[in-house]
Amino acid sequence: MKTFILKFLIFLLPIVLISYEADIFISKRLKKSNSFADGEYPTWNDLYDGKINSEIIISGSSNALIEIDPTLISKQMNSSAYNLGINGHNFRLQYFRHQLLLKYNLKPKLIIQTISSTIFEKQYDLYNLDQFLPYMLNNKELEDVTMKFNGYNNIDFKLPLIRYYGKKEAILNAFFLLMKPSSNHLLRTKGYRTKDIQWNNDFENVQKKMKSLEIQLDSSLISLFEDYINECKQDDIKLIIVNPPEFIDGQQFVKNRSEIMSLFYQFSKRYAIPFFDYSKDSISFQKKYFYNSGHLNKTGAELFTNKLIIDLKKIQMPIL
């Protein structure tokens, strides 16, 4: 029996080694993609590789990602800035990026934390799963946070290549970049992605299906946000909460929006944190600045970023 087991292990060893090498090769190539998985890889790479090291960090979901231009902030506030906005995720993944930021990068001086009606929404499915593929193998931190959602299982983090099963597009993308690197165009600059498009029918299509939307809140995320506030204070990081412009019809569509917004007014008062609420700003009443009810287009984002900079300067937020 011992002889059989030994022969089996000797047979298995080359397969395991080849699997690890293949996994490392595919992951290494895939990380280089600037556009696959909605262009998230450059930001994850900068986080893990310690290349952010910026004095001002913009954090949040898609309304941070596509609505606050770090380049404009850098120029007008004479400070380095980076946008860590992550599309389609509630505060749990936003906070995970914050943890990686502090672990691998220099501590920022200021965090501009954007919020939305969905920041504390109970989320079941892992959005844009492919963005995590190249970083998963033996990554316990990533495993712990993503296992709170439906998407991957523990084996995907433990065994090489398993998570790539059925991921034909990801594998082809990795090899395509090897053969044609010139096609690897950047979608983002310092984490920021602009959307130079006009109003679409997303909101109208949703309205056809339902009259209103009530957000199911996750109490653990509310507690996590409060922990985040306290951690920033302990780390001597200035924190500002920002509610970017949202088209007025979209605001009225969320049934319990006032309940959600009141949480941030409470946080602001309790912890003496500036809270900039642009929901009643003139931008929020002009459809021309949006491409759907919750997201500004390029013109709107530039206008909003400049307004934000003016307001930051009013409270003496040039931090150097």
Side-chain angles (χ1 to χ4, degrees), residues 264-276:
F264 296 103
Y265 280 102
Q266 291 171 33
F267 285 142
S268 174
K269 185 176 181 180
R270 187 181 309 153
Y271 295 101
I273 301 170
F275 179 26
F276 296 163

Side-chain angles (χ1 to χ4, degrees), residues 14-184:
I15 297 174
V16 173
L17 291 175
I18 291 171
S19 296
Y20 269 101
E21 288 299 322
D23 190 302
I24 291 170
F25 176 80
I26 293 171
S27 298
K28 186 177 180 180
R29 298 308 313 174
L30 194 57
K31 283 180 185 179
K32 294 181 182 295
S33 175
N34 293 323
S35 58
F36 188 72
D38 197 32
E40 291 285 1
Y41 294 147
T43 302
W44 287 116
N45 293 339
D46 286 348
L47 275 168
Y48 278 112
D49 296 339
K51 293 182 177 179
I52 293 179
N53 299 324
S54 295
E55 294 155 312
I56 301 175
I57 292 296
I58 299 126
S59 179
S61 60
S62 55
N63 65 356
L65 169 66
I66 60 177
E67 297 184 3
I68 302 180
D69 186 347
T71 302
L72 282 177
I73 289 177
S74 292
K75 288 179 180 178
Q76 296 190 41
M77 297 192 68
N78 194 30
S79 301
S80 55
Y82 196 103
N83 192 320
L84 283 183
I86 180 170
N87 190 25
H89 278 281
N90 61 23
F91 184 67
R92 196 170 303 282
L93 264 295
Q94 297 171 35
Y95 179 70
F96 179 64
R97 281 193 164 177
H98 173 72
Q99 290 178 303
L100 294 180
L101 174 74
L102 296 187
K103 182 174 181 178
Y104 298 108
N105 298 265
L106 295 177
K107 183 179 70 175
K109 295 182 178 180
L110 168 68
I111 295 177
I112 300 169
Q113 175 66 50
T114 70
I115 57 113
S116 67
S117 297
T118 59
I119 188 171
F120 298 142
E121 183 178 17
K122 202 168 189 65
Q123 190 172 345
Y124 297 95
D125 296 322
L126 191 63
Y127 181 78
N128 190 14
L129 293 92
D130 289 351
Q131 68 178 299
F132 306 107
L133 282 171
Y135 313 95
M136 288 172 59
L137 189 61
N138 298 321
N139 188 336
K140 187 66 168 58
E141 294 172 322
L142 185 57
E143 179 181 359
D144 288 343
V145 71
T146 54
M147 288 301 294
K148 298 181 186 299
F149 304 89
N150 300 321
Y152 293 113
N153 58 54
N154 298 101
I155 299 298
D156 291 319
F157 291 85
K158 302 291 193 298
L159 297 180
L161 294 181
I162 297 295
R163 69 193 182 283
Y164 283 112
Y165 179 76
K167 298 289 185 179
K168 182 180 177 180
E169 189 178 355
I171 296 170
L172 288 176
N173 192 272
F175 283 96
F176 180 74
L177 290 177
L178 183 64
M179 296 181 289
K180 198 173 180 181
S182 61
S183 63
N184 194 23

Side-chain angles (χ1 to χ4, degrees), residues 274-291:
F275 179 26
F276 296 163
D277 185 359
Y278 295 90
S279 59
K280 298 298 185 288
D281 186 89
S282 60
I283 296 175
S284 293
F285 296 85
Q286 301 182 68
K287 189 180 286 188
K288 65 181 179 179
Y289 294 126
F290 295 84
Y291 70 86

